[in-house]
Amino acid sequence: MAKINMKTPLVEIDGDEMTRVLWTVIKEKLLLPFIDLKTEYYDLGITNRENTCDDVTVQSANAIKRLGVGVKCATITANAARQKEYGLKQLYPSPNATIRAILDGTVFRKPISVSRVKPTVSTWKKPIVIGRHAYGDVYKASEMEIDGPGKVDLVYTKADGTEKRVKVADFKGRGIVQGMHNCDESIKSFARACFLYAIAEKLPLWFATKDTISKTYDGRFKAIFNEIYETEFREKCAGAGVDYFYTLIDDAVARAVKSEGGFLWACKNYDGDVQSDMIASASGSLAMMTSVLVSPTGVFEYEAAHGTVQQHYYRWQKGEKTSTNPAALIFAWSGALAKRAQLDNTGDLSDFSKRLETALLKVIEDGIMTGDLAKLSDPPPQKILNSWDFIDAIAQQLAAGN
Ligand code: NAP
Ligand code: MG
């Protein structure tokens, strides 16, 4: 069978531990036999990040900017324990944070649905996608303990030296205070990324804040979203059949739980942190969650939502064939290939990415799965396989043409 051609390479970012092991197997069994795979390869394994003083991470992000599409394996974010384990000279920043800062992105997370794994919320028929703003608010706040009676003001010293001041509180005793911020440019990027994603996926877009209480801060988020919608996206949304809906965050939570799902929920940073874990656990598991970083300029990076599955890796090193679920990694590849196909207008590559996803889902629907899903499957599984046999089962399904 002739292999499918690719016009433009995509950026391939290798990673660490169990996901690095599975990365090679996925390529060998599910991609290389079918596609004349063109990638620009960057090794973000912890050893190579150390050897290149983390330059490779910056290079990989710039490559995504240049080529438009990347696919990334999970990577270790170094901490003191990892420094000791790998003998690192220093603690490099999280690769995801570095890449995100260069691409100026918003992270979208979407559950992979299979009928055997029922969402905890019985009304959900379609996945709910979370779009999380990844800059500012409480994640970049300054905090202070108040030791006793006294006055706290918020002071803005303008570039020309003049001051603007508002009272925060008159303390009668001990307490706490917090100052947080956001920037119009970052909120605009967030809004644009959400509208672009909603249009690409043809999903209604929900956005919610607490602007009745936070009239200035959340009010600005609401106003910017509205301005971006009116000036840049109203017609495009209408053309794609995409509705934009704004409401209060508590109303959004109540509606989400009663909804059928099937929408993009744009969340401020903290709301996105909390809601994405709620959506992930209510929908199944982290191993069944896709993640894509979308930049406002239309550059895309696909990855799995989970980490390097460290404990499975230690067992694999001792010779065990672990039953690690490769679904999110496979969907990272299929997502990146589909986006490459869309940008290059290559229909057969687009078809392949769909067939790959269908083959994976068919195998699971037939009751053949990894251990994590076996625990959740209703009805119970027919067969529980290790990752290698599971990937072989997908390859057979794919070769059989579904
Ligand atoms: P993790 O790799 O997501 O794994 C946590 C646990 O979740 C696993 O022990 C496993 O549970 C289960 N799990 C996750 N993915 C699975 C899969 N594909 N199949 C089956 N089970 C799966 O998180 P972690 O162990 O906390 O972090 C490990 C490393 O990953 C850390 O160094 C962290 O810095 C890094 N990390 C990277 C990213 C990223 O690159 N995007 C994200 C998060 C974490 P059981 O052990 O019960 O089977
Ligand atoms: Mg969290």
Side-chain angles (χ1 to χ4, degrees):
M1 200 171 62
K3 288 192 190 180
I4 295 163
N5 269 316
M6 284 178 69
K7 263 193 204 163
T8 319
L10 54 80
V11 180
E12 175 188 352
I13 302 179
D14 211 343
D16 288 301
E17 299 192 317
M18 204 60 221
T19 44
R20 186 182 180 99
V21 174
L22 295 179
W23 196 257
T24 310
V25 185
I26 290 168
K27 278 177 68 179
E28 189 190 310
K29 302 274 181 163
L30 299 179
L31 303 176
L32 294 171
F34 304 96
I35 309 174
D36 191 12
L37 193 66
K38 289 198 180 88
T39 71
E40 217 175 277
Y41 179 87
Y42 293 85
D43 182 1
L44 262 62
I46 188 101
T47 314
N48 196 46
R49 276 185 275 147
E50 165 91 352
N51 290 342
T52 61
C53 296
D54 212 24
D55 265 0
V56 66
T57 308
V58 175
Q59 283 166 16
S60 71
N62 285 328
I64 296 177
K65 260 185 156 174
R66 180 164 38 82
L67 291 174
V69 185
V71 58
K72 179 179 170 291
C73 185
T75 45
I76 290 169
T77 297
N79 58 14
R82 298 305 205 149
Q83 187 166 25
K84 200 167 158 213
E85 181 179 2
Y86 287 92
L88 306 175
K89 291 193 286 276
Q90 55 170 299
L91 289 184
Y92 296 102
S94 145
N96 285 340
T98 303
I99 293 171
R100 216 173 281 166
I102 293 171
L103 299 183
D104 184 16
T106 301
V107 176
F108 295 92
R109 295 210 155 158
K110 177 183 177 183
I112 302 166
S113 305
V114 286
S115 70
R116 284 173 169 266
V117 179
K118 312 258 183 308
T120 316
V121 178
S122 58
T123 53
W124 290 354
K125 305 281 179 260
K126 289 175 272 181
I128 295 172
V129 185
I130 296 285
R132 175 183 171 189
H133 185 211
Y135 177 82
D137 299 353
V138 72
Y139 301 86
K140 228 174 160 58
S142 300
E143 303 183 324
M144 189 165 43
E145 282 189 26
I146 303 298
D147 302 329
K151 195 164 67 79
V152 175
D153 283 351
L154 214 51
V155 184
Y156 159 41
T157 311
K158 295 189 193 185
D160 67 7
T162 55
E163 276 187 3
K164 211 169 151 184
R165 180 180 292 264
V166 291
K167 186 175 103 177
V168 176
D170 268 326
F171 284 93
K172 304 277 180 276
R174 289 176 61 85
I176 39 179
V177 69
Q178 180 185 66
M180 62 182 195
H181 80 284
N182 224 298
C183 306
D184 282 14
E185 275 317 303
S186 178
I187 303 168
K188 285 181 186 171
S189 295
F190 168 46
R192 289 192 183 104
C194 289
F195 282 111
L196 284 169
Y197 186 97
I199 289 167
E201 300 290 323
K202 300 216 184 325
L203 290 175
L205 173 61
W206 294 19
F207 180 49
T209 72
K210 193 71 179 174
D211 69 290
T212 44
I213 302 298
S214 172
K215 291 183 179 13
T216 304
Y217 198 102
D218 281 16
R220 180 72 72 102
F221 271 86
K222 178 185 177 182
I224 288 177
F225 254 74
N226 194 51
E227 177 198 317
I228 296 289
Y229 174 63
E230 291 297 342
T231 57
E232 299 177 28
F233 288 100
R234 180 181 267 284
E235 279 169 29
K236 288 178 192 143
C237 282
V242 166
D243 285 331
Y244 171 56
F245 170 61
Y246 176 85
T247 188
L248 290 170
I249 185 68
D250 36 359
D251 182 48
V253 170
R255 284 173 188 259
V257 170
K258 290 195 169 165
S259 77
E260 289 199 341
F263 59 93
L264 168 62
W265 187 353
C267 290
K268 285 179 63 200
N269 211 344
Y270 176 79
D271 297 339
D273 189 348
V274 176
Q275 299 301 348
S276 67
D277 280 14
M278 190 271 284
I279 300 287
S281 73
S283 308
S285 91
L286 260 191
M288 296 293 280
M289 185 67 123
T290 64
S291 183
V292 58
L293 175 71
V294 179
S295 88
T297 55
V299 162
F300 297 79
E301 184 217 27
Y302 293 80
E303 61 167 0
H306 58 75
T308 60
V309 213
Q310 186 180 357
Q311 298 308 323
H312 291 213
Y313 180 62
Y314 296 148
R315 285 169 19 216
W316 176 80
Q317 282 182 315
K318 288 189 190 136
E320 180 183 331
K321 284 204 152 183
T322 60
S323 187
T324 315
N325 188 345
L329 290 170
I330 294 170
F331 266 72
W333 273 103
S334 62
L337 291 170
K339 183 53 71 180
R340 184 75 280 164
Q342 188 194 20
L343 296 177
D344 291 353
N345 208 5
T346 44
D348 43 359
L349 187 61
S350 167
D351 289 346
F352 174 80
S353 74
K354 284 195 204 98
R355 288 203 293 120
L356 176 57
E357 290 179 4
T358 309
L360 164 62
L361 296 174
K362 173 89 167 57
V363 169
I364 298 174
E365 295 293 6
D366 285 349
I368 298 164
M369 60 193 76
T370 47
D372 58 317
L373 285 187
K375 286 182 226 152
L376 306 166
S377 177
D378 172 24
Q382 304 289 327
K383 262 193 224 165
I384 306 172
L385 299 183
N386 67 44
S387 306
W388 290 260
D389 292 345
F390 181 66
I391 290 170
D392 277 340
I394 301 166
Q396 277 164 26
Q397 184 66 44
L398 193 54
N402 298 314

